[in-house]
Amino acid sequence: MKRSHLPLNGLRAFEAAARHRSFTGAGLELRVTQAAISHQVKGLEEVLGVRLFRRLPHGLTLSDEGEALLPVLSDAFNRISITLDRFEGGRFHDIVTVGVVGTFASGWLIPRLPLFHQAYPDIELRISTNNNRVNLAADGLDFAIRFGDGSWQGTDNTPLMSGSFSPACAPDIAARLRDPSDLARETLLCSYREDEWLRWFEAAGRHCPPIKGIVFDSSVTMANAAVQGAGVALLPVSMFSREFGCGQLVQPFDSTVDVGRYWLSARRRRQNSQAMTTFADWLTAETAGSNSRKSV
């Protein structure tokens, strides 16, 4: 059926009547009479050549054809409504969806969201956090911010910030650490990236003891465990400035090791909207500023 021939009033009347299972309820919602709803639905049935309802003595039930049509219409009307809601105050509010590794979200992005909203009030960010495992297409994301080496298949990746890792622990544990070799007597908390402690001990010029600590899939959770005295965590220091600043965590040694970077990841060959380009430009500029301040 050509779009110009779509019986829009009939489709709207049918969708409302199917949800309410009542012509009367649909009429109240659409502010027309019950008879008008019945007439519009009947006209739609004539155009389609099928019955969409079975009329019962005390209500309506959907035919098989009606059951097939209802979810399609409901989804379409919902999407139209959501899009129209974005024209608020005479301006179009665009949406950018971002999946963010939890460490970067809590340690860098969230404190800066008010600045972004102030600069770009017409862009609505929708942020979901993850433990660095994300599928841009399957999760319906415009971007992902993740940690690693930037070699994710089918994506274009822009480097944002380096990840300089160093041991971190509660103050009472730090008080008994004089040399990196003292860590052999402590519980070492681990991430799923198994070589991080080994690489840090190599950078510190010490032998790496057997790692038998608890394994975490999130640096945020691991940092929380360290705050509560569960052991010594190897953390990206710049992402936990609040915890270091208020004394919940202490960095007992100056040695750091870079085990990866934070990246802005997007699907290859995807056409960016203006809002996506704006967000990407803002993010790269802000992280560049953070990098330059760290190097001073």
Side-chain angles (χ1 to χ4, degrees):
M1 180 180 293
K2 294 182 179 179
R3 290 186 180 185
S4 59
H5 296 163
L6 287 174
L8 295 178
N9 285 339
L11 292 170
R12 190 170 67 155
F14 162 74
E15 194 272 339
R19 280 189 288 105
H20 289 282
R21 294 297 196 270
S22 164
F23 288 159
T24 301
L28 290 172
E29 178 182 322
L30 300 179
R31 299 182 181 180
V32 298
T33 65
Q34 180 267 350
I37 296 292
S38 179
H39 177 75
Q40 290 169 358
V41 170
K42 184 177 180 181
L44 177 62
E45 290 176 326
E46 290 175 353
V47 169
L48 298 178
V50 298
R51 287 294 183 92
L52 299 172
F53 290 106
R54 291 193 292 272
R55 278 75 170 175
L56 303 175
H58 302 290
L60 300 171
T61 185
L62 287 169
S63 67
D64 291 343
E65 292 82 1
E67 291 280 6
L69 182 58
L70 176 60
V72 176
L73 287 181
S74 294
D75 178 67
F77 286 134
N78 284 337
R79 291 168 65 184
I80 291 170
S81 178
I82 290 170
T83 300
L84 292 178
D85 286 343
R86 291 161 63 186
F87 289 90
E88 182 181 347
R91 297 183 299 179
F92 183 73
H93 293 252
D94 212 340
I95 295 172
V96 178
T97 58
V98 189
V100 189
V101 60
T103 309
F104 190 91
S106 62
W108 192 93
L109 182 60
I110 290 175
R112 291 166 175 81
L113 288 181
L115 296 175
F116 179 85
H117 181 69
Q118 183 178 6
Y120 306 103
D122 295 336
I123 299 178
E124 177 182 328
L125 289 181
R126 295 186 178 176
I127 295 172
S128 61
T129 57
N130 57 67
N131 60 356
N132 213 40
R133 293 175 174 86
V134 64
N135 185 314
L136 283 156
D139 297 337
L141 299 172
D142 295 318
F143 294 112
I145 299 173
R146 46 189 172 182
F147 185 83
D149 59 7
S151 61
W152 297 284
Q153 187 175 9
T155 59
D156 292 319
N157 299 287
T158 303
L160 298 175
M161 298 177 67
S162 63
S164 296
F165 282 56
S166 189
C169 57
D172 58 334
I173 294 178
R176 58 180 182 253
L177 299 175
R178 296 289 182 269
D179 185 87
S181 59
D182 295 337
L183 290 170
R185 298 190 296 270
E186 304 294 337
T187 298
L188 302 183
L189 308 179
C190 314
S191 82
Y192 58 86
R193 294 181 291 270
E194 298 178 353
D195 66 337
E196 290 176 348
W197 273 114
L198 175 62
R199 293 173 64 177
W200 183 83
F201 274 102
E202 288 177 349
R206 300 293 188 276
H207 173 71
C208 181
I211 306 298
K212 300 178 181 179
I214 306 168
V215 177
F216 296 84
D217 70 350
S218 164
S219 290
V220 173
T221 308
M222 183 163 54
N224 188 37
V227 166
Q228 298 184 52
V232 182
L234 192 62
L235 298 175
V237 178
S238 62
M239 294 296 123
F240 295 94
S241 57
R242 292 191 304 275
E243 289 80 359
F244 286 113
C246 69
Q248 288 182 306
L249 287 177
V250 175
Q251 183 181 346
F253 307 110
D254 293 333
S255 297
T256 63
V257 61
D258 286 347
V259 298
R261 300 183 68 88
Y262 293 98
W263 301 77
L264 179 66
S265 183
R267 278 178 280 168
R268 192 165 293 157
R269 293 184 294 273
R270 171 167 178 164
Q271 185 68 38
N272 283 2
S273 68
Q274 181 58 51
M276 291 171 61
T277 300
T278 298
F279 174 73
D281 290 346
W282 173 84
L283 183 66
T284 53
E286 287 292 316
T287 51
S290 296
N291 291 331
S292 64
R293 285 190 293 272
K294 286 194 299 182
S295 63
V296 173

